[in-house]
Amino acid sequence: MTRLALVASLAGLAALAAPAAPAWAQSRRYPPAPKDPDREAAHHSKVWEDALDPGRAPYERMLRDARQLADDNSIKDRQAAIAMLDDAVKLLPARFEAYALRGEIQLSLKSFAACADDLAAADRYAPPDETPERARLRVELGICQGRAGRFADAERTLARAASMPNARGDAWMRLGEVRIALGKLDEAIGALDTAAEVGDVPIGFMQFLLASAYDRARLPGEAAAAMASGKLGDSSFGSIETPQYPLLGAGEHEYLMALAYLYAQPRPEYALLYFRRFVVLAPDSPWRRRAEEHLRELSSSELPQTVERRSGTAVVDVEAVRAALAHVMPAMRACMAKLPGTALEVSVTRDGPRSPLSRDRARYTMPPQATTVQDLLEPPEGVARDDVDAAQRCIEPLVERAALPVPKDHDTYYKVSFLVISP
């Protein structure tokens, strides 16, 4: 027997003597996972779909990456996400997801026309359904259409959203807002009443909208009640001053603030100023005539309309103070000839006679007699700070000249404030 034959024979005997290894150990270290029919079917389906629709995988990848960029919340990242979604739309223009995401980002950037176009495309291409997500998309679409000045489109969109079985109160509230802009006051009041019944809306803002609809419909009693209800939910009028989205219509902020100071927190001087600003900002508004009606009524009142007691220990006749100030008010307003649409607040302190120094009697510390003038409303654009300062210096001696009542009791004082508005 040759040497090679002997080696082969010994190897064969060793193999017969060794215990047989399991079958799976002959090819790998671990046993194969049991087969999952559903997983295999899904994998097979994905492979098949990728073959039939080669753009689907890169489209979904772009969507995922754009969402991550948009979540970072910086303007630069959101703009980069929009550029990525532009490519996704070009790749698969009949898919709705990229339009929807791009529209939401445009809404966050307050690019309302672009937002309206994108969300309209998303609503058009998405499969028909009645889900809460679809209702939310339509509300946002209506918001963007309204801010883009497409009031009729916004009304149709929001009416569809409000008619869905899962509609929330904000769909009705935004519908009422658009209908005010369209001049459909009765329908606006109906939509806002429904929003109040459905709930889930910012009660302050909703009531302020309702008050504006009632006022424009020449129902001042209802407007006053709605504005008072709104103040309970938003005492600082923050939803008017810094709304979530821009208010609809030129000068709408001024009109709502005028109503706030007319009905909810009466300061006729402020109401007068805000209505004046509205007429300047919205000369072609359908509500200009109503604003002018308010202006005529407010302008016929003697100023100052309101004198507020701020502090003090003296008994003071506020009406007597107001009457004394009314005599010098024309001259004080003349000081503000260069400050159109502006109000200054004047604070006046008056002391009674002081008791003589005595060891047997306490001496009460009282603030000194003083007149201070400060600006409260931010002056309109173009008004110089020097003109504001000059008006303040002009008003102070006129107040001192007014025959304000003097406290009669010893060691007492009062402090009052009032507004001076431009002529």
Side-chain angles (χ1 to χ4, degrees), residues 182-199:
L182 286 168
K184 299 180 178 181
L185 297 178
D186 290 341
E187 294 170 79
I189 291 168
L192 292 167
D193 283 340
T194 303
E197 293 173 5
V198 174

Side-chain angles (χ1 to χ4, degrees), residues 98-252:
Y99 292 111
L101 180 55
R102 191 170 66 179
E104 289 180 4
I105 299 172
Q106 298 284 18
L107 175 57
S108 73
L109 294 172
K110 294 182 169 54
S111 299
F112 296 113
C115 164
D117 292 340
D118 276 336
L119 295 185
D123 193 40
R124 181 169 64 253
Y125 288 120
D129 59 47
E130 297 289 320
T131 61
E133 291 76 16
R134 188 56 162 273
R136 182 69 247 162
L137 183 147
R138 286 178 178 162
V139 170
E140 291 182 348
L141 171 57
I143 288 170
C144 291
Q145 288 171 326
R147 273 75 196 165
R150 307 172 192 175
F151 296 149
D153 291 341
E155 182 187 25
R156 284 191 293 270
T157 298
L158 291 166
R160 291 180 67 196
S163 66
M164 295 176 71
N166 47 31
R168 295 165 52 185
D170 63 341
W172 289 101
M173 184 184 75
R174 295 299 178 183
L175 178 60
E177 181 185 31
V178 167
R179 284 176 171 168
I180 292 172
L182 286 168
K184 299 180 178 181
L185 297 178
D186 290 341
E187 294 170 79
I189 291 168
L192 292 167
D193 283 340
T194 303
E197 293 173 5
V198 174
D200 196 24
V201 293
I203 190 65
F205 184 61
M206 192 277 299
Q207 289 289 343
F208 295 152
L209 290 175
L210 190 58
S212 75
Y214 278 131
D215 177 79
R216 285 155 169 160
R218 292 173 174 79
L219 297 170
E222 290 84 347
M227 189 59 76
S229 296
K231 188 174 183 292
L232 292 176
D234 181 5
S235 60
S236 64
F237 309 117
S239 57
I240 301 175
E241 294 283 23
T242 55
Q244 182 181 11
Y245 305 109
L247 301 174
L248 295 184
E252 192 67 7

Side-chain angles (χ1 to χ4, degrees), residues 16 255 402:
L16 289 173
Y255 199 102

Side-chain angles (χ1 to χ4, degrees), residues 188-311:
I189 291 168
L192 292 167
D193 283 340
T194 303
E197 293 173 5
V198 174
D200 196 24
V201 293
I203 190 65
F205 184 61
M206 192 277 299
Q207 289 289 343
F208 295 152
L209 290 175
L210 190 58
S212 75
Y214 278 131
D215 177 79
R216 285 155 169 160
R218 292 173 174 79
L219 297 170
E222 290 84 347
M227 189 59 76
S229 296
K231 188 174 183 292
L232 292 176
D234 181 5
S235 60
S236 64
F237 309 117
S239 57
I240 301 175
E241 294 283 23
T242 55
Q244 182 181 11
Y245 305 109
L247 301 174
L248 295 184
E252 192 67 7
H253 165 266
E254 282 66 27
Y255 199 102
L256 289 178
M257 288 305 299
L259 296 183
Y261 286 113
L262 185 65
Y263 296 127
Q265 187 170 308
R267 294 297 295 268
E269 291 89 346
Y270 277 163
L272 181 61
L273 281 181
Y274 275 115
F275 279 126
R276 281 182 181 172
R277 290 187 179 188
F278 172 79
V279 169
V280 171
L281 291 172
D284 300 323
S285 170
W287 314 120
R288 174 172 180 153
R289 180 175 297 179
R290 179 58 176 153
E292 289 173 340
E293 291 173 5
H294 284 302
L295 284 173
R296 283 193 295 271
E297 183 175 351
L298 290 167
S299 298
S300 64
S301 303
E302 186 179 63
L303 299 175
Q305 274 284 293
T306 306
V307 174
E308 294 187 355
R309 181 189 174 100
R310 295 297 187 183
S311 62

Side-chain angles (χ1 to χ4, degrees), residues 8-45:
S9 175
L10 290 173
L13 290 172
L16 289 173
W24 56 264
Q26 298 175 24
S27 59
R28 59 180 70 183
R29 288 185 62 189
Y30 301 102
K35 291 185 177 181
D36 183 343
D38 293 337
R39 185 176 179 181
E40 289 190 359
H43 176 71
H44 178 76
S45 174

